[in-house]
Amino acid sequence: MTSIGHNTKRTGAEVLADMLAGYGVTHVFMVPAVLRRTFAEMERRTKIARVHCHGEKSAAYMADGYARASGKPGICMAQVIGALNIAAGLRDAYLAHAPVIAMTGGRDPKTKFRGVYQEVDDVPAFEPVTKLNATIDDVARFPDMVRQAFRVATSGAPGPVHLQFRGNEGQVDVEEAEMDALVEAQFAHVPPFRPVADAAQVKAALDLLQKAERPIFVAGGGVRASGAGRELVALAEALQIPAATSLNGKDSIPGTHPLSVGVCGSYSRESANRAVNRADLVCFVGSGTGGMTTHFWAVPKIGTPAIQIDIEAEALGRNYPLQASVLGDAKTVLAAMLELADKASAQKRASWIEEVAALRNEWYGKYKPAFESDAVPIHPARLCAELTKHVPDDGIVVVDTGHAGMWMGGMYDLRSPKQSYMRSAGHLGWAFPAGLGAKAGCPDRPVICFTGDAGFWYHIAEVETAVRWKLNSITIVNNNGGGNQSKRGFDRAYGGTQTEKARELWTYTPMNFARLAEDMGALGIRVERACDIAPALARALAADRPVVIDVVSDIEALAPLAVS
Ligand SMILES: Cc1ncc(C[n+]2csc(CCOP(=O)(O)OP(=O)(O)O)c2C)c(N)n1
Ligand SMILES: [Mg+2]
């Protein structure tokens, strides 16, 4: 923490700009005008990029992508009229436990309830999507409240924070008080602490794992937040325990690792669900054991013997009664288990490992024709297979929901522990702006976003932002001319097969997104044949510009549904 005691009168704007720089913030994402004086001070006093976007929701998604890619809190801002758009954008960060700090302008006690232009009481709307939802009415509160925001956003299971600054544009920042810019560097990133677990809890959980004949790990977002992938893989190898992951934890273990069975749950891989459902002990690590990861508690079935490792005590045993629970940081706990692990106990699992390998092979065999398909329009599974082969070793893959989440969650494999994977926690349209934020947070790594066309339409205007701010991500649009994850649902709604007219509920005008991207100043590449995917990606990786690769794919291709 910087020293306190040289108090001189300073404006809130000076203090906020210095604090953000002190916390290592490199970008803020916003729609003006909010905290105007603070932006002027940022220019004078810091190198922070003030990324001026086309909508508050996409600004929040950019901050979210920045946070999930870099582990540092992402900052987004809006004046009072844009506050609820920001709140909507925090919803995905809340569901995915991403440390995002939203700063908005808001009501002045002197004029509230008098019908101030553009004003409503925004604070309650932030309540369900934040860990801390606070108002700053007095400029002297900047140093403690901004510190509290970073502390809450990064601690335990991370999540969003909202700070509302007095004044529709947060004009409280022009006022002065005797204060210093205080920074607690510890809370500039996730995780701020690595709580060590009780030794008896660690031993009890390890004993169960070692005794089990068919144990399996289910690694969640807590493993990625803790940076515990290496420890997970090392423990899995030492004890010969296969590992499934949640969608949020997909980059905990490379898909090409022989002990990886894939993503389990709803947007999943068949081999993962089958393996989890054959296990005699499931060890959840950093997983909320929610409906998406467990296919609504059918994978594994409730009653399956389970143990759980989590940093939040309340998460332990929430959905599965536990035989052992361990409270602590995933990396620290897994490392402690590895130290105590009895490798000889792995022998009894040889037939389980064979069974799991057979499930993996069977799955790869089943989809081999799709992975190698030369069909025109392109089969999305082929697109996933091309990405498995050609995403660079240090690539960050950012994936939308809908079929994008299903295709990539199930069919794409990370090849290296240095690759990262981030996914929408359910909001269509999240991935493209999140990918821009990821590029801001990790400028030296290639960022490859995978989105459907409906997902891309949401925030397409941000192509212009990417060009203006040189946020050089690569966006692959799986362009099937419709929101075809909706197809099955409308078939059902029409009693089996929908009418031709029902397609107006989920299809769009055919579009060439490469051409639109070019018009906005990005590099656009249209791909109509599968053999052109790899060359397009190579060209995009060399371009050093924002790139949109528009892949024309088959509207009839539906992603496989989960098995349980
Ligand atoms: C904010 C939001 N609204 C609606 C949905 C419901 N939804 C899920 S997938 C989907 C269509 C996806 O279309 P597209 O991005 O083109 O992908 P495709 O399924 O065609 O591959 C919709 C509308 C959602 N997930 N999020
Ligand atoms: Mg589509």
Side-chain angles (χ1 to χ4, degrees):
M1 193 189 294
T2 49
S3 64
I4 318 176
H6 302 286
N7 291 348
T8 47
K9 279 210 156 191
R10 306 184 65 201
T11 63
E14 290 168 341
V15 166
L16 182 54
D18 284 350
M19 286 182 77
L20 292 177
Y23 275 98
V25 170
T26 59
H27 294 70
V28 298
F29 305 93
M30 51 83 198
V31 176
V34 58
L35 298 166
R36 288 181 201 250
R37 181 71 72 88
T38 302
F39 282 115
E41 294 298 346
M42 275 186 211
E43 185 179 321
R44 274 186 210 117
R45 318 166 76 85
T46 79
K47 293 200 169 82
I48 297 172
R50 301 155 301 173
V51 181
H52 161 206
C53 313
H54 288 287
E56 295 84 1
K57 177 152 60 73
S58 45
Y61 288 168
M62 287 183 207
D64 186 354
Y66 175 98
R68 290 195 218 179
S70 70
K72 301 191 299 183
I75 313 292
C76 53
M77 299 177 172
Q79 69 176 78
V80 73
I81 193 66
L84 289 196
N85 297 344
I86 282 253
L90 294 184
R91 214 170 172 283
D92 211 83
Y94 186 79
L95 294 171
H97 295 293
V100 175
I101 301 175
M103 301 182 174
T104 66
R107 301 205 296 186
D108 189 325
K110 288 202 189 94
T111 51
K112 63 184 180 182
F113 308 120
R114 296 180 68 183
V116 174
Y117 176 54
Q118 296 180 324
E119 191 174 282
V120 300
D121 181 6
D122 295 305
V123 173
F126 283 88
E127 208 52 32
V129 293
T130 52
K131 291 174 72 184
L132 170 70
N133 179 21
T135 52
I136 301 180
D137 293 321
D138 186 325
V139 73
R141 300 298 305 276
F142 276 41
D144 77 294
M145 290 308 294
V146 173
R147 263 162 47 239
Q148 183 68 359
F150 277 87
R151 209 178 288 128
V152 173
T154 56
S155 295
V161 167
H162 172 227
L163 295 179
Q164 187 193 71
F165 291 79
R166 170 165 56 78
N168 63 333
E169 297 179 355
Q171 293 91 330
V172 62
D173 72 340
V174 304
E175 295 175 16
E176 290 183 332
E178 286 197 356
M179 56 186 173
D180 281 329
L182 303 178
V183 171
E184 294 160 327
Q186 183 132 28
F187 300 99
H189 53 80
V190 170
F193 291 105
R194 295 194 175 278
V196 176
D198 184 290
Q201 290 174 355
V202 171
K203 187 163 179 325
L206 183 63
D207 280 351
L208 287 164
L209 277 175
Q210 293 183 158
K211 279 193 194 120
E213 288 185 2
R214 298 192 312 282
I216 196 162
F217 287 115
V218 174
V223 174
R224 88 180 300 270
S226 168
R230 189 145 40 107
E231 286 72 15
L232 177 86
V233 172
L235 186 62
E237 286 171 353
L239 295 180
Q240 289 296 293
I241 298 178
T245 74
S246 71
L247 266 187
N248 208 13
K250 185 171 163 80
D251 56 11
S252 309
I253 178 168
T256 51
H257 191 286
L259 290 169
S260 159
V261 293
V263 173
C264 60
S266 297
Y267 291 1
S268 59
R269 178 177 294 186
E270 194 173 329
S271 53
N273 282 12
R274 292 210 189 283
V276 170
N277 269 351
R278 286 184 202 188
D280 63 357
L281 180 71
V282 178
C283 177
F284 292 102
V285 191
S287 164
T289 67
M292 176 55 102
T293 302
T294 63
H295 198 38
F296 294 86
W297 307 285
V299 182
K301 296 192 175 37
I302 293 192
T304 306
I307 60 182
Q308 201 174 341
I309 301 165
D310 209 278
I311 200 163
E312 295 280 0
E314 305 108 83
L316 295 167
R318 180 165 56 191
N319 291 319
Y320 291 89
L322 298 176
Q323 301 200 337
S325 50
V326 187
L327 178 65
D329 163 61
K331 190 182 182 80
T332 313
V333 171
L334 293 170
M337 285 182 159
L338 187 60
E339 212 159 279
L340 299 173
D342 170 16
K343 290 189 181 169
S345 76
Q347 280 162 14
K348 65 166 130 0
R349 285 184 280 279
S351 66
W352 172 230
I353 294 300
E354 263 174 44
E355 192 179 331
V356 165
L359 288 173
R360 274 171 58 95
N361 293 340
E362 204 179 297
W363 183 83
Y364 281 113
K366 180 170 173 181
Y367 288 101
K368 192 164 184 276
F371 289 147
E372 294 175 358
S373 165
D374 289 321
V376 178
I378 292 167
H379 194 297
R382 171 73 190 267
L383 177 53
C384 295
E386 293 294 318
L387 291 174
T388 296
K389 277 190 241 160
H390 299 296
V391 168
D393 258 6
D394 58 344
I396 300 175
V397 174
V398 184
V399 180
D400 216 46
T401 192
H403 268 149
M406 294 175 80
W407 290 122
M408 286 291 280
M411 306 238 160
Y412 166 74
D413 273 329
L414 291 103
R415 291 185 331 267
S416 150
K418 285 188 287 179
Q419 291 173 329
S420 303
Y421 187 94
M422 298 156 31
R423 62 80 169 102
S424 162
H427 294 84
L428 194 66
W430 173 86
F432 169 54
L436 300 182
K439 189 67 192 176
C442 299
D444 299 330
R445 295 178 64 184
V447 172
I448 295 161
C449 165
F450 184 107
T451 175
D453 50 316
F456 189 53
W457 275 122
Y458 265 81
H459 304 109
I460 195 166
E462 305 299 355
V463 173
E464 189 276 336
T465 308
V467 171
R468 197 163 20 93
W469 285 94
K470 299 188 172 43
L471 299 172
N472 297 340
S473 72
I474 297 166
T475 303
I476 297 175
V477 185
N478 176 41
N479 182 5
N480 51 22
N484 80 329
Q485 196 192 34
S486 300
K487 180 179 183 301
R488 286 186 179 109
F490 285 117
D491 279 342
R492 273 196 305 276
Y494 280 81
T497 310
Q498 60 188 287
T499 60
E500 196 45 42
K501 194 162 162 51
R503 289 171 84 90
E504 71 189 26
L505 297 168
W506 58 276
T507 58
Y508 305 103
T509 315
M511 191 56 55
N512 183 328
F513 290 109
R515 210 162 51 210
L516 290 187
E518 287 275 333
D519 278 352
M520 286 187 265
L523 172 61
I525 307 174
R526 175 99 161 167
V527 172
E528 293 175 354
R529 293 178 313 167
C531 60
D532 293 332
I533 296 170
L537 195 60
R539 202 178 142 206
L541 287 163
D544 204 25
R545 290 167 61 188
V547 183
V548 174
I549 304 179
D550 185 29
V551 178
V552 182
S553 77
D554 184 3
I555 196 164
E556 298 305 327
L558 300 182
L561 298 175
V563 300
S564 61

